[in-house]
Amino acid sequence: MNRRTTGKRLGRLSDKELCGLIAGKNPAESEAAFTVLYERYSRRIHAYCYRILSNNEDAEDAFQETFLRFHRTIRNGSRMTNVSGLLFTIARNLCINLKKKNTRWAADPVEHDTLSDRDEAYEKRELLELIKTSLELINPDYREAFVLREYNGLSYKEIAEVLEITLPTAKIRVFRAKEKIRLVLEPYLRDLLGEGSP
């Protein structure tokens, strides 16, 4: 069975089944299963790291280390019930540690590929830049919850698990983040829409 056929077959398996193969004794199958999980979650994890760290180099470090630790955890025989939750938890802890160690938290001028495109209209690029800036201005707890919800598509229940908070707290943090971002953006949006005071 060639690599493409193997990948297609493994792609139909659940996260839990893939983790079983990663932890198994067949090295080729283990590697193929890990590749499938990597492809399944890599974009979301990378986007999360970038949104939290606002720096391409740091985000790349946290992203790569997340999957290394995830692989080690599975190979060590840990039972897996929520792959997405584990990946985001590992990524979050790494981002927190990087922030504590690192003093350069100025935003990287290079736009992230999930948010910008060469062909976007100027106004849209400007608005995306404002959203990015507003994220950096709000409370880090609110920002984390907002990023997990709006950029990574996690449910409130998953956010609560990753951040180790209650479900109501997760909902409140996302709501407050949206409110803060709206307040930051309001004057700029009025200008963009030509509704500023004469």
Side-chain angles (χ1 to χ4, degrees), residues 38 46 49-50 53 55-66 98:
Y38 179 88
H46 193 278
C49 292
Y50 181 82
L53 298 171
N55 178 284
N56 277 334
E57 189 180 329
D58 292 328
E60 191 62 34
D61 288 346
F63 167 71
Q64 296 294 346
E65 185 64 22
T66 295
L98 262 174

Side-chain angles (χ1 to χ4, degrees), residues 1-37:
M1 193 178 287
N2 63 35
R3 185 175 293 181
R4 178 180 275 183
T5 308
T6 302
K8 209 170 182 181
R9 177 179 62 83
L10 294 179
R12 297 191 198 103
L13 299 180
S14 68
D15 288 354
K16 188 177 178 181
E17 290 169 322
L18 289 168
C19 286
L21 292 176
I22 293 169
K25 301 203 183 294
N26 182 327
E29 201 167 53
S30 174
E31 185 182 337
F34 179 74
T35 300
V36 171
L37 272 182

Side-chain angles (χ1 to χ4, degrees), residues 52 130-151 156 159 163 168-186:
I52 296 301
L130 288 171
I131 291 170
K132 183 173 134 182
T133 302
S134 67
L135 274 174
E136 290 163 12
L137 294 174
I138 65 175
N139 181 304
D141 290 340
Y142 298 165
R143 180 169 66 239
E144 260 190 328
F146 178 84
V147 167
L148 288 169
R149 178 70 177 171
E150 300 301 326
Y151 288 98
Y156 288 113
I159 293 169
L163 300 183
T169 301
K171 291 179 178 179
I172 288 166
R173 285 187 184 180
V174 173
F175 172 77
R176 287 187 176 157
K178 288 179 179 178
E179 284 294 292
K180 298 279 185 188
I181 290 168
R182 184 182 62 77
L183 287 171
V184 171
L185 292 180
E186 209 166 32

Side-chain angles (χ1 to χ4, degrees), residues 3-134:
R3 185 175 293 181
R4 178 180 275 183
T5 308
T6 302
K8 209 170 182 181
R9 177 179 62 83
L10 294 179
R12 297 191 198 103
L13 299 180
S14 68
D15 288 354
K16 188 177 178 181
E17 290 169 322
L18 289 168
C19 286
L21 292 176
I22 293 169
K25 301 203 183 294
N26 182 327
E29 201 167 53
S30 174
E31 185 182 337
F34 179 74
T35 300
V36 171
L37 272 182
Y38 179 88
E39 289 170 355
R40 200 172 277 180
Y41 289 103
S42 58
R43 283 181 66 83
R44 292 171 69 195
I45 298 299
H46 193 278
Y48 169 78
C49 292
Y50 181 82
R51 283 293 120 211
I52 296 301
L53 298 171
S54 299
N55 178 284
N56 277 334
E57 189 180 329
D58 292 328
E60 191 62 34
D61 288 346
F63 167 71
Q64 296 294 346
E65 185 64 22
T66 295
F67 278 94
L68 286 172
R69 292 191 185 191
F70 171 76
H71 186 265
R72 200 179 306 135
T73 301
I74 302 300
R75 292 293 295 168
N76 286 343
S78 296
R79 287 190 62 200
M80 207 44 51
T81 55
N82 184 354
V83 167
S84 173
L86 176 62
L87 282 168
F88 278 109
T89 300
I90 295 170
R92 176 179 184 255
N93 291 336
L94 287 167
C95 288
I96 288 171
N97 289 337
L98 262 174
K99 277 195 164 194
K100 283 177 184 171
K101 278 193 255 181
N102 207 328
T103 54
R104 59 179 173 81
W105 294 114
D108 194 314
V110 180
E111 280 291 324
H112 194 258
D113 61 1
T114 61
L115 290 181
S116 68
D117 188 291
R118 210 174 289 168
D119 301 324
E120 282 179 334
Y122 170 77
E123 290 84 1
K124 189 172 182 184
R125 287 201 307 274
E126 188 175 4
L127 180 58
L128 290 172
E129 186 60 38
L130 288 171
I131 291 170
K132 183 173 134 182
T133 302
S134 67

